[in-house]
Amino acid sequence: MAPGTVSLFQFCTVSLLVKCSARKTIEMSLYKKGYLMTEKKVITDIDRRHFATVFRLCDQGQRGYLSREDLKMAVVMLFGYKPSKLEANTLMEPALKASLPGVPMDHFVSLMGRKLSVQDPYDRTRQIFSVFDAHCRGFLTPEDFKRVFSRLAPHLPDRTIQEAFREVDQDSDGHVSFQDFERVVGRPEDQP
């Protein structure tokens, strides 16, 4: 496997989230009944550094703050979805009340830390799996990988996509189950 393939895989899968509504309804039902429990995530220095890196990437013109549009792009990069107008207003509100032109880095890191701490990792992984499983079959094929990567990283060589698929397809049966997918995508980046 080429160095960094799984990291690229993890990054790309977060960029596009589409849900299969029937599956989402079932998962929410299980969560409400207590079958899917999550713990509040502790924000690490690695998370903070990641937030700071995303801030710098989104800070157009290196002004030291994120405008509303910059903030939306940062949320997309970190969480894989474009925030609603209401959420963007909520995130911008403290900066605007303080008469700041945008969200400064320390405030951004704090906001994203709170957001990450309440995020359900199981739900996030399920959403990413659903992006790949456009036909709601419950498993992924090499064609599913090619379809998603052709949208997210069109210049990515087929060989790299095949290597990513083989890395996730633990039993080499040509199908990736959610459990296989979760082992790779759902694990923390610093875990082997």
Side-chain angles (χ1 to χ4, degrees), residues 155-178:
H155 302 295
L156 197 63
D158 282 344
R159 180 181 49 80
T160 304
I161 297 168
Q162 291 167 356
E163 288 173 3
F165 184 84
R166 281 194 298 271
E167 174 72 19
V168 180
D169 184 15
Q170 297 290 310
D171 57 4
S172 301
D173 66 351
H175 293 91
V176 172
S177 67
F178 176 72

Side-chain angles (χ1 to χ4, degrees), residues 60-73:
Q60 298 295 317
Q62 308 306 311
R63 300 171 302 214
Y65 64 87
L66 297 182
S67 67
R68 179 181 307 280
E69 291 306 312
D70 297 340
L71 183 61
K72 287 179 183 179
M73 181 54 70

Side-chain angles (χ1 to χ4, degrees), residues 19-29 123 127 130:
K19 300 173 190 168
C20 295
S21 59
R23 181 179 298 148
K24 183 70 176 169
T25 302
I26 292 167
E27 289 167 11
M28 287 306 294
S29 175
D123 187 46
Q127 288 174 341
S130 295

Side-chain angles (χ1 to χ4, degrees), residues 27 31 56 58 95 121 137 164 166:
E27 289 167 11
Y31 180 78
R56 285 189 290 279
C58 293
R137 294 178 297 216
R166 281 194 298 271

